[in-house]
Amino acid sequence: MGAHLATIKRVSLKKTKAGLEKLVLLLEGENGETGFYNLTFNDFVAENLNLILTSIDDNGEPIPEMSFGYDGATAQFLTGKEVYIKVGMETYQGERRSVIKTFLNQEEFDYATNFEDG
């Protein structure tokens, strides 16, 4: 739980059960733990994509002038980038499991990790 540094290991172009486009990000933490994040192209995609891009930028990777969307170029750019994530718990089909809740910027990550450290 809490804030963590992670690397986007793979990005796949998929569809939701409702037929919406989504990018499925496979993330890996510093200790080899993995998790998925679904970036669904709905009313919130611009806000959620901006969170990811801000986190990448805050990890020292410049963001290129390009149109980000549901395409191979976006998937290729995201792959291999370091990001800050917030991990939480939720219940799914009666089981408690950890999930990637959101992406954090540098300030949010620093605050969360300082708070966790005491």
Side-chain angles (χ1 to χ4, degrees):
M1 299 328 97
H4 301 275
L5 177 64
T7 302
I8 301 171
K9 300 302 278 187
R10 185 177 68 233
V11 180
S12 304
L13 283 74
K14 303 280 185 180
K15 299 267 185 168
T16 66
K17 290 179 183 174
L20 296 173
E21 298 171 330
K22 68 178 180 177
L23 296 177
V24 179
L25 286 64
L26 170 63
L27 293 104
E28 182 177 302
E30 293 178 291
N31 298 318
E33 61 278 81
T34 59
F36 290 96
Y37 181 85
N38 294 311
L39 177 64
T40 304
F41 283 72
N42 56 22
D43 293 343
F44 305 103
V45 69
E47 180 181 341
N48 292 330
L49 183 57
N50 189 51
L51 290 172
I52 296 168
L53 295 175
T54 299
S55 190
I56 290 170
D57 186 54
D58 284 353
N59 270 282
E61 180 73 33
I63 306 302
E65 290 293 327
M66 63 180 271
S67 177
F68 290 95
Y70 180 75
D71 56 42
T74 297
Q76 183 176 4
F77 171 76
L78 295 175
T79 301
K81 301 303 186 286
E82 290 188 339
V83 290
Y84 300 121
I85 58 173
K86 179 179 179 182
V87 177
M89 292 295 289
E90 72 177 30
T91 302
Y92 178 74
Q93 297 181 346
E95 298 281 326
R96 296 281 292 159
R97 65 179 188 168
S98 58
V99 294
I100 299 167
K101 293 289 203 178
T102 191
F103 291 80
L104 304 173
N105 63 33
Q106 183 73 57
E107 182 179 338
E108 293 165 331
F109 178 77
D110 290 346
Y111 178 80
T113 53
N114 285 337
F115 181 74
E116 290 169 4
D117 292 342

